[in-house]
Amino acid sequence: MPEFDLDNVSAAPSPDLLTPDNAVMLFVDHQPQMFFGTGSSDRTAIINSTVGLAKAAKLFDVPTVITTVAAESFSGPALPQLVDVFPEHKLIDRTSMNAWEDENLVEAVRATGRKKIVISGLWTEVCLVLPVLSALGQGYEVYVVADASGGVTPQAHEHALERMSSAGAVTVTWVQVLLELQRDWARGETYNGVMEIVQEHAGAYGLGVVYAKHFLGANAAG
């Protein structure tokens, strides 16, 4: 923490905040076989959060890497709703449980030049913990999207989040990431896109936006 000095206090954002210019998104193993074994929370909710997060990355033009493990031999193809957001992307398939031991994946992340990795995946206790600890060990700042990830049991998910947090990762939610990227409702070029994502994927918050627009007008939600 920097030493407190009133002369340095200004209306400026923290460098810890995620922005469209400093982050890269990494989606790890959102595949059928992995979902079959997920029991930490409602799988439909995890899918919804994953797609909402992907749409946030697309809207803000955040570099995105999607990886699968043993797609043709065991785990099946990547989540179709995720692929639909990035139809032009070439997915990186691996054999290693630790995505950070795959040279193609590491090079894809490295090529973005970004230091902040926003990561989600299945399962939290294996295919998420391993690359998170590995990236942290190489100096990356890692943000784990907890609700776009899942483990075999609630305990496995929570213990994995605790392990990653203890190592220096920051746990976030997909809506938190979306709004952190927007950060200012005066950012008109992405305002409508954010509202569309919120209404489609953010549950009661999205319904609140619908309600506000209905009674107060198109710009009421900001």
Side-chain angles (χ1 to χ4, degrees), residues 141-161:
E141 299 171 19
V142 184
Y143 298 75
V144 178
V145 189
D147 54 356
S149 306
V152 173
T153 65
Q155 294 81 6
H157 180 68
E158 291 303 320
H159 292 330
L161 292 176

Side-chain angles (χ1 to χ4, degrees), residues 11-203:
S14 165
D16 290 335
L17 296 182
L18 297 167
T19 75
D21 298 319
N22 68 17
V24 54
M25 296 264 192
L26 178 53
F27 293 86
V28 181
D29 303 349
H30 292 91
Q31 299 167 261
Q33 185 64 41
M34 307 307 292
F35 273 107
F36 296 159
T38 298
S40 57
S41 60
D42 179 70
R43 287 172 287 190
T44 301
I46 297 173
I47 292 172
N48 177 71
S49 297
T50 302
V51 177
L53 181 66
K55 289 181 177 180
K58 181 82 168 183
L59 175 64
F60 287 96
D61 198 25
V62 176
T64 300
V65 178
I66 303 172
T67 184
T68 55
V69 62
E72 297 303 320
S73 60
F74 179 71
S75 300
L79 181 68
Q81 299 95 313
L82 172 60
V83 175
D84 286 346
V85 179
F86 301 102
E88 74 287 357
H89 270 46
K90 180 180 179 180
L91 277 60
I92 299 172
D93 193 46
R94 324 175 318 277
T95 60
S96 60
M97 285 184 280
N98 181 6
W100 207 260
E101 293 181 44
D102 185 273
E103 291 183 4
N104 292 326
L105 181 135
V106 173
E107 181 53 36
V109 174
R110 183 180 177 184
T112 68
R114 310 295 179 85
K115 187 178 180 181
K116 297 180 186 292
I117 301 175
V118 180
I119 187 171
S120 59
L122 305 176
W123 298 318
T124 322
E125 66 271 30
V126 182
C127 298
L128 206 53
V129 161
L130 301 181
V132 167
L133 296 182
S134 299
L136 286 169
Q138 295 181 14
Y140 280 92
E141 299 171 19
V142 184
Y143 298 75
V144 178
V145 189
D147 54 356
S149 306
V152 173
T153 65
Q155 294 81 6
H157 180 68
E158 291 303 320
H159 292 330
L161 292 176
E162 291 173 3
R163 183 181 180 187
M164 290 183 284
S165 295
S166 296
V170 179
T171 53
V172 293
T173 65
W174 82 266
V175 171
Q176 181 180 349
V177 172
L178 171 69
L179 299 183
E180 194 162 321
L181 292 173
Q182 176 68 21
R183 211 174 70 238
D184 189 339
W185 291 122
R187 185 171 288 158
E189 65 272 17
T190 50
Y191 176 88
N192 288 332
V194 168
M195 289 297 101
E196 289 175 6
I197 294 171
V198 164
Q199 289 177 73
E200 187 170 0
H201 297 284

